[in-house]
Amino acid sequence: VPALRPATALSKTGYRIIPSTGHSVSFAVVTQGSTAKMYDLDGNLEDGDLKFATKELKPRKAGVCVPIPYSLLLQARPEIDAIVSDDIVKALDELRDNMALIGTGENNQPVGIAKTVGVNNVPVSSIFTYEGVCDAERLIRDSNDMSENLYWVMNSKNYAKFKTTLKDDVAGAEYLMEDGKINGYEAVINNSLDDNTIILGNFDELVIADFDGLMLKVDDITFVKKGAVQIIATCAFDCICRRPNSFTVTVAGA
């Protein structure tokens, strides 16, 4: 029976994918827009003071290797190698989701949304109120990101809390989450997020670069004396928030 793996959360949010031939990817991100000014008919036009930074995505390797003993190959129907191959592909998809959300930037990890410098922060103590929900969105709008495609991402415990928390104490009040949406924006579950780590954002500003696709190989040589095989899967990817202000993340005591 296949493992019960979570559905990939980010596939629902419409993040941006950049394919690559294996080389690092660099692009410019505007950090301060130019400002138009009024000036005298015969005066000199001032510089617009446009500022930008260069962002780079580089290959970061992820992989999994699963040995399958001969006894399992002999007994399993349908073929166990097909089941394992399917599972480890899903494991890599799950890992990519997790890294894009909470990667620390250490130990070969990319930097995920929750660890990106410059994202908006709201206190956990206020997020389960209607005012806190609106404030999380307001911070994104303050940066002039007017996208209508915002998504909430949280674990199942927080998902349930939103579903059971009323907007206010007036009779007949709605819950903060109705029909899977919070204030009109869909909420998705990813259980790699800790309790009370909740992300709201425009995921079109999350860029994931795939550098070499998925390499899936059945090794029937290493353990040939035992009649066993091992299945190996690797891929290389990186992720970056092009516009940190397009995301709001809850933090303790913000």
Side-chain angles (χ1 to χ4, degrees), residues 145-201:
D145 185 333
M146 301 302 171
S147 169
E148 290 302 316
N149 296 316
L150 302 184
Y151 284 84
W152 294 86
V153 183
M154 66 199 70
N155 68 18
S156 54
K157 181 177 179 180
N158 289 149
Y159 190 91
K161 188 170 182 178
F162 273 110
K163 290 186 70 174
T164 55
T165 301
L166 291 169
K167 285 184 177 181
D168 52 50
D169 56 4
V170 177
E174 294 182 340
Y175 290 96
L176 287 175
M177 183 186 296
E178 296 280 349
D179 299 323
K181 294 183 177 181
I182 301 171
N183 204 26
Y185 299 111
E186 185 176 351
V188 296
I189 294 174
N190 185 293
N191 284 318
S192 66
L193 294 177
D194 294 332
D195 290 350
N196 298 332
T197 297
I198 299 164
I199 299 173
L200 171 66

Side-chain angles (χ1 to χ4, degrees), residues 121-139 152 161-162 165-167 176 182 196 198 248-254:
N121 293 134
V122 292
V124 171
S125 58
S126 71
I127 197 61
F128 293 103
T129 65
Y130 187 59
E131 291 79 6
V133 164
C134 291
D135 196 44
E137 181 183 347
R138 176 191 62 78
L139 292 170
W152 294 86
K161 188 170 182 178
F162 273 110
T165 301
L166 291 169
K167 285 184 177 181
L176 287 175
I182 301 171
N196 298 332
I198 299 164
T248 299
V249 181
T250 56
V251 293

Side-chain angles (χ1 to χ4, degrees), residues 4 9 41-42 57 72 89 93 101 113 116 131-132 135 168 170 176-177 181 183 192 231 243 245:
L4 293 176
L41 290 178
D42 297 318
L57 295 106
L72 191 55
V89 169
D93 287 342
L101 292 171
I113 295 170
T116 297
E131 291 79 6
D135 196 44
D168 52 50
V170 177
L176 287 175
M177 183 186 296
K181 294 183 177 181
N183 204 26
S192 66
I231 299 178
R243 203 170 184 271
N245 285 147

Side-chain angles (χ1 to χ4, degrees), residues 222-245:
T222 302
F223 299 123
V224 66
K225 290 183 177 181
K226 297 181 178 180
V229 299
Q230 58 183 358
I231 299 178
I232 303 166
T234 60
C235 64
F237 65 87
D238 197 7
C239 59
I240 195 170
C241 291
R242 297 187 304 178
R243 203 170 184 271
N245 285 147

